[in-house]
Amino acid sequence: MKNKFLFSVFIIFFIFIFIGLGTWQIIRLNWKNNLILEIENSLKNPPVELAESKKENFLKIKTSGSIDFDKQIYLYNLNESGTPGFEVINPIMIGDENFLINRGWIPFEKKGTQEINVFDQKNIIGTLKLQGRKNIFKPDNDLDENYWFSLNREDILKFTGKNFSKYIIYLDGNYRLPRPKKITANISNNHQKYAITWFSLALSILLLYLYFRKKNY
């Protein structure tokens, strides 16, 4: 009798665990949907003057500044077609603050060429985006070869000698090279699938438990 009671407690415990996990995913789903809606609304707005606006994630901005081509960073990445290459990232001074500006993607063979540095510094249109964290599975940056896998802030300080805003400017415009990265609200949102999985597990265990009780109690 005691073993049956402990078995029931064990099963009920896991059912509540799975229900709790499913409920948490529903909460995350609502948060993610609101975030996507907020991003979509932000990207629909016309660009505002950076110097006159509160900095926010996915804020569309217009500005001008002094760009540093000597400390140009080449960040390994794939383009929209899955072709490997570099994203070209430059330090830029806007007012009295240092930013990094992501000007877009180039193929490997265009690294260091002059044609990728044709750029209108007086008419910059772009989108602010908070710098993400380094993926622990990415290799270390090779500063000597200027071959980057992540925008590690310590490496950026070593390479440029400067600290930068936590927001990166993603350039917008009809540039051929580098080709600006399109910023969208297309972010991962699998919380509904995860919620269904957890609730299904809870229901399956409950049904198996009830079947077991009917047969053995």
Side-chain angles (χ1 to χ4, degrees):
M1 186 69 182
K2 181 180 179 182
N3 289 338
K4 290 182 178 180
F5 173 75
L6 291 176
F7 176 73
S8 297
V9 170
F10 178 79
I11 293 297
I12 293 170
F13 172 76
F14 273 96
I15 289 173
F16 277 107
I17 288 291
F18 292 146
I19 290 174
L21 290 170
T23 302
W24 171 242
Q25 290 300 329
I26 293 296
I27 293 171
R28 293 284 294 173
L29 174 64
N30 291 332
W31 171 81
K32 186 64 72 67
N33 286 338
N34 289 333
L35 175 63
I36 291 172
L37 182 61
E38 181 181 341
I39 294 171
E40 289 176 341
N41 290 336
S42 180
L43 293 176
K44 289 176 184 177
N45 293 329
V48 296
E49 285 289 347
L50 178 60
E52 300 172 2
S53 305
K54 179 183 176 183
K55 300 178 186 67
E56 296 177 349
N57 206 17
F58 293 97
L59 179 69
K60 293 186 70 175
I61 58 98
K62 54 184 178 180
T63 189
S64 61
S66 177
I67 199 165
D68 184 352
F69 291 104
D70 293 331
K71 295 298 182 180
Q72 190 155 279
I73 292 171
Y74 295 93
L75 178 67
Y76 174 84
N77 212 340
L78 309 179
N79 68 3
E80 294 175 354
S81 302
T83 305
F86 293 113
E87 289 182 1
V88 180
I89 298 169
N90 296 88
I92 183 170
M93 174 70 79
I94 300 175
D96 58 356
E97 189 172 5
N98 290 310
F99 286 85
L100 291 174
I101 181 168
N102 186 321
R103 296 196 290 122
W105 183 91
I106 60 169
F108 288 129
E109 63 270 17
K110 295 298 182 179
K111 180 182 179 181
T113 61
Q114 287 300 312
E115 64 180 301
I116 67 173
N117 291 338
V118 178
F119 177 64
D120 184 3
Q121 303 178 50
K122 303 300 181 185
N123 185 29
I124 298 171
I125 305 293
T127 303
L128 291 185
K129 194 175 176 185
L130 276 171
Q131 182 178 342
R133 296 180 179 178
K134 176 187 174 182
N135 187 318
I136 61 174
F137 299 107
K138 287 187 176 180
D140 292 334
N141 299 318
D142 187 338
L143 274 61
D144 293 332
E145 295 295 326
N146 198 0
Y147 198 119
W148 297 65
F149 294 95
S150 69
L151 293 179
N152 181 292
R153 284 190 167 266
E154 292 182 2
D155 288 345
I156 293 171
L157 179 59
K158 291 178 185 177
F159 187 73
T160 66
K162 299 176 182 178
N163 290 305
F164 293 88
S165 168
K166 62 182 179 180
Y167 291 96
I168 295 177
I169 300 171
Y170 282 79
L171 184 66
D172 192 10
N174 296 318
Y175 293 94
R176 190 178 69 85
L177 282 176
R179 183 178 296 278
K181 184 176 182 178
K182 187 173 179 61
I183 303 298
T184 69
N186 185 21
I187 57 180
S188 176
N189 187 11
N190 296 315
H191 298 295
Q192 183 177 13
K193 180 174 68 176
Y194 297 150
I196 291 172
T197 299
W198 291 123
F199 288 137
S200 297
L201 283 171
L203 180 60
S204 298
I205 292 173
L206 175 62
L207 293 175
L208 287 171
Y209 170 68
L210 293 175
Y211 176 79
F212 178 83
R213 277 184 61 94
K214 185 177 180 180
K215 288 288 185 179
N216 296 279
Y217 280 60

PDB file of all heavy atoms in Angstrom, residues 105-133:
ATOM      1  N   TRP A 105      26.929  43.060 -45.768  1.00  0.00           N
ATOM      2  CA  TRP A 105      27.675  41.839 -46.092  1.00  0.00           C
ATOM      3  C   TRP A 105      28.481  41.993 -47.372  1.00  0.00           C
ATOM      4  O   TRP A 105      28.040  42.632 -48.337  1.00  0.00           O
ATOM      5  CB  TRP A 105      26.683  40.688 -46.239  1.00  0.00           C
ATOM      6  CG  TRP A 105      27.299  39.342 -46.512  1.00  0.00           C
ATOM      7  CD1 TRP A 105      27.688  38.411 -45.596  1.00  0.00           C
ATOM      8  CD2 TRP A 105      27.599  38.777 -47.798  1.00  0.00           C
ATOM      9  NE1 TRP A 105      28.211  37.300 -46.224  1.00  0.00           N
ATOM     10  CE2 TRP A 105      28.169  37.496 -47.585  1.00  0.00           C
ATOM     11  CE3 TRP A 105      27.447  39.230 -49.118  1.00  0.00           C
ATOM     12  CZ2 TRP A 105      28.568  36.669 -48.628  1.00  0.00           C
ATOM     13  CZ3 TRP A 105      27.857  38.406 -50.154  1.00  0.00           C
ATOM     14  CH2 TRP A 105      28.400  37.138 -49.913  1.00  0.00           C
ATOM     15  N   ILE A 106      29.672  41.369 -47.374  1.00  0.00           N
ATOM     16  CA  ILE A 106      30.513  41.287 -48.577  1.00  0.00           C
ATOM     17  C   ILE A 106      31.028  39.861 -48.727  1.00  0.00           C
ATOM     18  O   ILE A 106      31.161  39.129 -47.743  1.00  0.00           O
ATOM     19  CB  ILE A 106      31.717  42.251 -48.516  1.00  0.00           C
ATOM     20  CG1 ILE A 106      32.592  41.921 -47.298  1.00  0.00           C
ATOM     21  CG2 ILE A 106      31.281  43.706 -48.515  1.00  0.00           C
ATOM     22  CD1 ILE A 106      33.948  42.622 -47.286  1.00  0.00           C
ATOM     23  N   PRO A 107      31.350  39.428 -49.950  1.00  0.00           N
ATOM     24  CA  PRO A 107      32.025  38.125 -50.112  1.00  0.00           C
ATOM     25  C   PRO A 107      33.474  38.232 -49.633  1.00  0.00           C
ATOM     26  O   PRO A 107      34.033  39.325 -49.526  1.00  0.00           O
ATOM     27  CB  PRO A 107      31.947  37.878 -51.626  1.00  0.00           C
ATOM     28  CG  PRO A 107      31.753  39.221 -52.236  1.00  0.00           C
ATOM     29  CD  PRO A 107      31.018  40.053 -51.230  1.00  0.00           C
ATOM     30  N   PHE A 108      34.081  37.102 -49.350  1.00  0.00           N
ATOM     31  CA  PHE A 108      35.436  37.074 -48.800  1.00  0.00           C
ATOM     32  C   PHE A 108      36.429  37.876 -49.644  1.00  0.00           C
ATOM     33  O   PHE A 108      37.289  38.587 -49.121  1.00  0.00           O
ATOM     34  CB  PHE A 108      35.937  35.628 -48.686  1.00  0.00           C
ATOM     35  CG  PHE A 108      35.278  34.834 -47.600  1.00  0.00           C
ATOM     36  CD1 PHE A 108      34.737  33.580 -47.867  1.00  0.00           C
ATOM     37  CD2 PHE A 108      35.208  35.314 -46.304  1.00  0.00           C
ATOM     38  CE1 PHE A 108      34.139  32.832 -46.869  1.00  0.00           C
ATOM     39  CE2 PHE A 108      34.609  34.571 -45.287  1.00  0.00           C
ATOM     40  CZ  PHE A 108      34.081  33.327 -45.577  1.00  0.00           C
ATOM     41  N   GLU A 109      36.330  37.747 -50.968  1.00  0.00           N
ATOM     42  CA  GLU A 109      37.344  38.347 -51.849  1.00  0.00           C
ATOM     43  C   GLU A 109      37.299  39.876 -51.867  1.00  0.00           C
ATOM     44  O   GLU A 109      38.212  40.524 -52.378  1.00  0.00           O
ATOM     45  CB  GLU A 109      37.207  37.804 -53.274  1.00  0.00           C
ATOM     46  CG  GLU A 109      35.891  38.127 -53.974  1.00  0.00           C
ATOM     47  CD  GLU A 109      34.824  37.070 -53.745  1.00  0.00           C
ATOM     48  OE1 GLU A 109      34.977  36.258 -52.806  1.00  0.00           O
ATOM     49  OE2 GLU A 109      33.843  37.060 -54.519  1.00  0.00           O
ATOM     50  N   LYS A 110      36.241  40.470 -51.320  1.00  0.00           N
ATOM     51  CA  LYS A 110      36.138  41.929 -51.301  1.00  0.00           C
ATOM     52  C   LYS A 110      36.757  42.553 -50.055  1.00  0.00           C
ATOM     53  O   LYS A 110      36.803  43.772 -49.912  1.00  0.00           O
ATOM     54  CB  LYS A 110      34.673  42.351 -51.401  1.00  0.00           C
ATOM     55  CG  LYS A 110      34.001  41.980 -52.724  1.00  0.00           C
ATOM     56  CD  LYS A 110      34.665  42.659 -53.903  1.00  0.00           C
ATOM     57  CE  LYS A 110      33.965  42.315 -55.215  1.00  0.00           C
ATOM     58  NZ  LYS A 110      34.602  42.995 -56.374  1.00  0.00           N
ATOM     59  N   LYS A 111      37.245  41.716 -49.142  1.00  0.00           N
ATOM     60  CA  LYS A 111      37.872  42.228 -47.919  1.00  0.00           C
ATOM     61  C   LYS A 111      39.074  43.098 -48.266  1.00  0.00           C
ATOM     62  O   LYS A 111      39.945  42.703 -49.045  1.00  0.00           O
ATOM     63  CB  LYS A 111      38.318  41.065 -47.022  1.00  0.00           C
ATOM     64  CG  LYS A 111      38.992  41.510 -45.730  1.00  0.00           C
ATOM     65  CD  LYS A 111      39.468  40.312 -44.903  1.00  0.00           C
ATOM     66  CE  LYS A 111      40.163  40.785 -43.629  1.00  0.00           C
ATOM     67  NZ  LYS A 111      40.668  39.659 -42.812  1.00  0.00           N
ATOM     68  N   GLY A 112      39.101  44.297 -47.687  1.00  0.00           N
ATOM     69  CA  GLY A 112      40.228  45.202 -47.865  1.00  0.00           C
ATOM     70  C   GLY A 112      40.221  46.001 -49.151  1.00  0.00           C
ATOM     71  O   GLY A 112      41.137  46.802 -49.377  1.00  0.00           O
ATOM     72  N   THR A 113      39.207  45.830 -49.997  1.00  0.00           N
ATOM     73  CA  THR A 113      39.153  46.588 -51.246  1.00  0.00           C
ATOM     74  C   THR A 113      38.568  47.979 -51.009  1.00  0.00           C
ATOM     75  O   THR A 113      37.809  48.204 -50.059  1.00  0.00           O
ATOM     76  CB  THR A 113      38.309  45.846 -52.298  1.00  0.00           C
ATOM     77  OG1 THR A 113      36.976  45.689 -51.796  1.00  0.00           O
ATOM     78  CG2 THR A 113      38.902  44.472 -52.593  1.00  0.00           C
ATOM     79  N   GLN A 114      38.918  48.896 -51.884  1.00  0.00           N
ATOM     80  CA  GLN A 114      38.462  50.277 -51.726  1.00  0.00           C
ATOM     81  C   GLN A 114      36.987  50.457 -52.084  1.00  0.00           C
ATOM     82  O   GLN A 114      36.316  51.343 -51.558  1.00  0.00           O
ATOM     83  CB  GLN A 114      39.320  51.219 -52.589  1.00  0.00           C
ATOM     84  CG  GLN A 114      40.710  51.446 -52.048  1.00  0.00           C
ATOM     85  CD  GLN A 114      40.693  52.052 -50.657  1.00  0.00           C
ATOM     86  OE1 GLN A 114      39.988  53.029 -50.399  1.00  0.00           O
ATOM     87  NE2 GLN A 114      41.463  51.460 -49.747  1.00  0.00           N
ATOM     88  N   GLU A 115      36.484  49.615 -52.961  1.00  0.00           N
ATOM     89  CA  GLU A 115      35.108  49.799 -53.431  1.00  0.00           C
ATOM     90  C   GLU A 115      34.072  49.629 -52.311  1.00  0.00           C
ATOM     91  O   GLU A 115      32.971  50.152 -52.405  1.00  0.00           O
ATOM     92  CB  GLU A 115      34.800  48.847 -54.579  1.00  0.00           C
ATOM     93  CG  GLU A 115      34.835  47.375 -54.193  1.00  0.00           C
ATOM     94  CD  GLU A 115      34.519  46.464 -55.359  1.00  0.00           C
ATOM     95  OE1 GLU A 115      33.418  46.591 -55.944  1.00  0.00           O
ATOM     96  OE2 GLU A 115      35.369  45.623 -55.690  1.00  0.00           O
ATOM     97  N   ILE A 116      34.419  48.897 -51.252  1.00  0.00           N
ATOM     98  CA  ILE A 116      33.453  48.699 -50.175  1.00  0.00           C
ATOM     99  C   ILE A 116      33.400  49.901 -49.224  1.00  0.00           C
ATOM    100  O   ILE A 116      32.567  49.931 -48.319  1.00  0.00           O
ATOM    101  CB  ILE A 116      33.744  47.417 -49.368  1.00  0.00           C
ATOM    102  CG1 ILE A 116      35.058  47.539 -48.593  1.00  0.00           C
ATOM    103  CG2 ILE A 116      33.744  46.197 -50.279  1.00  0.00           C
ATOM    104  CD1 ILE A 116      35.313  46.376 -47.652  1.00  0.00           C
ATOM    105  N   ASN A 117      34.282  50.892 -49.434  1.00  0.00           N
ATOM    106  CA  ASN A 117      34.323  52.040 -48.532  1.00  0.00           C
ATOM    107  C   ASN A 117      33.707  53.303 -49.134  1.00  0.00           C
ATOM    108  O   ASN A 117      33.953  54.407 -48.662  1.00  0.00           O
ATOM    109  CB  ASN A 117      35.770  52.324 -48.102  1.00  0.00           C
ATOM    110  CG  ASN A 117      36.315  51.232 -47.201  1.00  0.00           C
ATOM    111  OD1 ASN A 117      35.549  50.503 -46.583  1.00  0.00           O
ATOM    112  ND2 ASN A 117      37.628  51.096 -47.160  1.00  0.00           N
ATOM    113  N   VAL A 118      32.913  53.122 -50.179  1.00  0.00           N
ATOM    114  CA  VAL A 118      32.146  54.236 -50.740  1.00  0.00           C
ATOM    115  C   VAL A 118      30.879  54.372 -49.905  1.00  0.00           C
ATOM    116  O   VAL A 118      29.984  53.513 -49.964  1.00  0.00           O
ATOM    117  CB  VAL A 118      31.809  53.994 -52.225  1.00  0.00           C
ATOM    118  CG1 VAL A 118      30.964  55.137 -52.767  1.00  0.00           C
ATOM    119  CG2 VAL A 118      33.085  53.808 -53.027  1.00  0.00           C
ATOM    120  N   PHE A 119      30.808  55.453 -49.143  1.00  0.00           N
ATOM    121  CA  PHE A 119      29.763  55.541 -48.119  1.00  0.00           C
ATOM    122  C   PHE A 119      29.466  57.000 -47.793  1.00  0.00           C
ATOM    123  O   PHE A 119      30.388  57.803 -47.622  1.00  0.00           O
ATOM    124  CB  PHE A 119      30.245  54.801 -46.854  1.00  0.00           C
ATOM    125  CG  PHE A 119      29.306  54.870 -45.687  1.00  0.00           C
ATOM    126  CD1 PHE A 119      28.046  54.307 -45.755  1.00  0.00           C
ATOM    127  CD2 PHE A 119      29.687  55.503 -44.521  1.00  0.00           C
ATOM    128  CE1 PHE A 119      27.186  54.368 -44.675  1.00  0.00           C
ATOM    129  CE2 PHE A 119      28.843  55.568 -43.433  1.00  0.00           C
ATOM    130  CZ  PHE A 119      27.583  54.996 -43.517  1.00  0.00           C
ATOM    131  N   ASP A 120      28.193  57.358 -47.739  1.00  0.00           N
ATOM    132  CA  ASP A 120      27.766  58.717 -47.431  1.00  0.00           C
ATOM    133  C   ASP A 120      27.628  58.881 -45.923  1.00  0.00           C
ATOM    134  O   ASP A 120      26.610  58.520 -45.339  1.00  0.00           O
ATOM    135  CB  ASP A 120      26.439  59.020 -48.139  1.00  0.00           C
ATOM    136  CG  ASP A 120      25.994  60.462 -47.945  1.00  0.00           C
ATOM    137  OD1 ASP A 120      26.737  61.237 -47.314  1.00  0.00           O
ATOM    138  OD2 ASP A 120      24.896  60.801 -48.429  1.00  0.00           O
ATOM    139  N   GLN A 121      28.661  59.445 -45.291  1.00  0.00           N
ATOM    140  CA  GLN A 121      28.662  59.607 -43.842  1.00  0.00           C
ATOM    141  C   GLN A 121      27.723  60.717 -43.372  1.00  0.00           C
ATOM    142  O   GLN A 121      27.412  60.799 -42.176  1.00  0.00           O
ATOM    143  CB  GLN A 121      30.082  59.920 -43.357  1.00  0.00           C
ATOM    144  CG  GLN A 121      31.102  58.880 -43.757  1.00  0.00           C
ATOM    145  CD  GLN A 121      32.502  59.243 -43.312  1.00  0.00           C
ATOM    146  OE1 GLN A 121      32.724  59.570 -42.148  1.00  0.00           O
ATOM    147  NE2 GLN A 121      33.453  59.194 -44.240  1.00  0.00           N
ATOM    148  N   LYS A 122      27.304  61.564 -44.279  1.00  0.00           N
ATOM    149  CA  LYS A 122      26.448  62.700 -43.910  1.00  0.00           C
ATOM    150  C   LYS A 122      24.968  62.374 -43.982  1.00  0.00           C
ATOM    151  O   LYS A 122      24.134  63.172 -43.589  1.00  0.00           O
ATOM    152  CB  LYS A 122      26.753  63.899 -44.828  1.00  0.00           C
ATOM    153  CG  LYS A 122      28.219  64.339 -44.814  1.00  0.00           C
ATOM    154  CD  LYS A 122      28.657  64.752 -43.415  1.00  0.00           C
ATOM    155  CE  LYS A 122      30.112  65.215 -43.393  1.00  0.00           C
ATOM    156  NZ  LYS A 122      30.572  65.513 -42.016  1.00  0.00           N
ATOM    157  N   ASN A 123      24.654  61.210 -44.515  1.00  0.00           N
ATOM    158  CA  ASN A 123      23.240  60.843 -44.680  1.00  0.00           C
ATOM    159  C   ASN A 123      23.063  59.372 -44.319  1.00  0.00           C
ATOM    160  O   ASN A 123      22.923  58.517 -45.186  1.00  0.00           O
ATOM    161  CB  ASN A 123      22.785  61.121 -46.118  1.00  0.00           C
ATOM    162  CG  ASN A 123      21.309  60.866 -46.314  1.00  0.00           C
ATOM    163  OD1 ASN A 123      20.509  60.996 -45.389  1.00  0.00           O
ATOM    164  ND2 ASN A 123      20.939  60.479 -47.525  1.00  0.00           N
ATOM    165  N   ILE A 124      23.058  59.083 -43.032  1.00  0.00           N
ATOM    166  CA  ILE A 124      22.981  57.706 -42.551  1.00  0.00           C
ATOM    167  C   ILE A 124      21.556  57.404 -42.103  1.00  0.00           C
ATOM    168  O   ILE A 124      21.000  58.079 -41.245  1.00  0.00           O
ATOM    169  CB  ILE A 124      23.952  57.492 -41.371  1.00  0.00           C
ATOM    170  CG1 ILE A 124      25.394  57.723 -41.823  1.00  0.00           C
ATOM    171  CG2 ILE A 124      23.794  56.087 -40.798  1.00  0.00           C
ATOM    172  CD1 ILE A 124      26.391  57.739 -40.687  1.00  0.00           C
ATOM    173  N   ILE A 125      20.982  56.392 -42.707  1.00  0.00           N
ATOM    174  CA  ILE A 125      19.669  55.880 -42.309  1.00  0.00           C
ATOM    175  C   ILE A 125      19.879  54.457 -41.815  1.00  0.00           C
ATOM    176  O   ILE A 125      20.553  53.654 -42.469  1.00  0.00           O
ATOM    177  CB  ILE A 125      18.667  55.871 -43.482  1.00  0.00           C
ATOM    178  CG1 ILE A 125      18.548  57.263 -44.111  1.00  0.00           C
ATOM    179  CG2 ILE A 125      17.309  55.361 -43.009  1.00  0.00           C
ATOM    180  CD1 ILE A 125      17.920  58.291 -43.217  1.00  0.00           C
ATOM    181  N   GLY A 126      19.325  54.138 -40.662  1.00  0.00           N
ATOM    182  CA  GLY A 126      19.525  52.790 -40.147  1.00  0.00           C
ATOM    183  C   GLY A 126      18.592  52.445 -38.999  1.00  0.00           C
ATOM    184  O   GLY A 126      17.647  53.176 -38.702  1.00  0.00           O
ATOM    185  N   THR A 127      18.886  51.337 -38.357  1.00  0.00           N
ATOM    186  CA  THR A 127      18.086  50.833 -37.238  1.00  0.00           C
ATOM    187  C   THR A 127      19.004  50.507 -36.074  1.00  0.00           C
ATOM    188  O   THR A 127      20.027  49.841 -36.259  1.00  0.00           O
ATOM    189  CB  THR A 127      17.309  49.570 -37.643  1.00  0.00           C
ATOM    190  OG1 THR A 127      16.492  49.859 -38.787  1.00  0.00           O
ATOM    191  CG2 THR A 127      16.421  49.081 -36.507  1.00  0.00           C
ATOM    192  N   LEU A 128      18.641  50.985 -34.889  1.00  0.00           N
ATOM    193  CA  LEU A 128      19.397  50.633 -33.686  1.00  0.00           C
ATOM    194  C   LEU A 128      19.019  49.227 -33.232  1.00  0.00           C
ATOM    195  O   LEU A 128      17.852  48.843 -33.279  1.00  0.00           O
ATOM    196  CB  LEU A 128      19.089  51.600 -32.542  1.00  0.00           C
ATOM    197  CG  LEU A 128      19.568  53.039 -32.657  1.00  0.00           C
ATOM    198  CD1 LEU A 128      19.249  53.792 -31.357  1.00  0.00           C
ATOM    199  CD2 LEU A 128      21.057  53.111 -32.943  1.00  0.00           C
ATOM    200  N   LYS A 129      20.020  48.483 -32.792  1.00  0.00           N
ATOM    201  CA  LYS A 129      19.767  47.147 -32.268  1.00  0.00           C
ATOM    202  C   LYS A 129      20.747  46.868 -31.142  1.00  0.00           C
ATOM    203  O   LYS A 129      21.950  47.120 -31.280  1.00  0.00           O
ATOM    204  CB  LYS A 129      19.912  46.106 -33.382  1.00  0.00           C
ATOM    205  CG  LYS A 129      19.342  44.752 -33.023  1.00  0.00           C
ATOM    206  CD  LYS A 129      19.409  43.817 -34.228  1.00  0.00           C
ATOM    207  CE  LYS A 129      18.924  42.415 -33.857  1.00  0.00           C
ATOM    208  NZ  LYS A 129      19.080  41.464 -34.967  1.00  0.00           N
ATOM    209  N   LEU A 130      20.223  46.372 -30.021  1.00  0.00           N
ATOM    210  CA  LEU A 130      21.088  46.038 -28.898  1.00  0.00           C
ATOM    211  C   LEU A 130      22.076  44.944 -29.288  1.00  0.00           C
ATOM    212  O   LEU A 130      21.708  43.975 -29.966  1.00  0.00           O
ATOM    213  CB  LEU A 130      20.252  45.546 -27.716  1.00  0.00           C
ATOM    214  CG  LEU A 130      19.645  46.612 -26.800  1.00  0.00           C
ATOM    215  CD1 LEU A 130      18.685  45.957 -25.819  1.00  0.00           C
ATOM    216  CD2 LEU A 130      20.726  47.371 -26.039  1.00  0.00           C
ATOM    217  N   GLN A 131      23.320  45.121 -28.885  1.00  0.00           N
ATOM    218  CA  GLN A 131      24.319  44.116 -29.186  1.00  0.00           C
ATOM    219  C   GLN A 131      24.026  42.845 -28.408  1.00  0.00           C
ATOM    220  O   GLN A 131      23.770  42.867 -27.206  1.00  0.00           O
ATOM    221  CB  GLN A 131      25.710  44.633 -28.812  1.00  0.00           C
ATOM    222  CG  GLN A 131      26.829  43.659 -29.146  1.00  0.00           C
ATOM    223  CD  GLN A 131      28.198  44.211 -28.817  1.00  0.00           C
ATOM    224  OE1 GLN A 131      28.361  45.409 -28.645  1.00  0.00           O
ATOM    225  NE2 GLN A 131      29.184  43.337 -28.735  1.00  0.00           N
ATOM    226  N   GLY A 132      24.026  41.725 -29.112  1.00  0.00           N
ATOM    227  CA  GLY A 132      23.751  40.449 -28.477  1.00  0.00           C
ATOM    228  C   GLY A 132      24.972  39.884 -27.768  1.00  0.00           C
ATOM    229  O   GLY A 132      26.087  40.398 -27.891  1.00  0.00           O
ATOM    230  N   ARG A 133      24.759  38.815 -27.040  1.00  0.00           N
ATOM    231  CA  ARG A 133      25.849  38.155 -26.330  1.00  0.00           C
ATOM    232  C   ARG A 133      26.548  37.154 -27.249  1.00  0.00           C
ATOM    233  O   ARG A 133      25.968  36.616 -28.174  1.00  0.00           O
ATOM    234  CB  ARG A 133      25.318  37.420 -25.096  1.00  0.00           C
ATOM    235  CG  ARG A 133      24.726  38.359 -24.047  1.00  0.00           C
ATOM    236  CD  ARG A 133      24.226  37.562 -22.855  1.00  0.00           C
ATOM    237  NE  ARG A 133      23.667  38.430 -21.828  1.00  0.00           N
ATOM    238  CZ  ARG A 133      23.133  37.978 -20.697  1.00  0.00           C
ATOM    239  NH1 ARG A 133      23.102  36.684 -20.452  1.00  0.00           N
ATOM    240  NH2 ARG A 133      22.648  38.831 -19.807  1.00  0.00           N
TER     241      ARG A 133
END
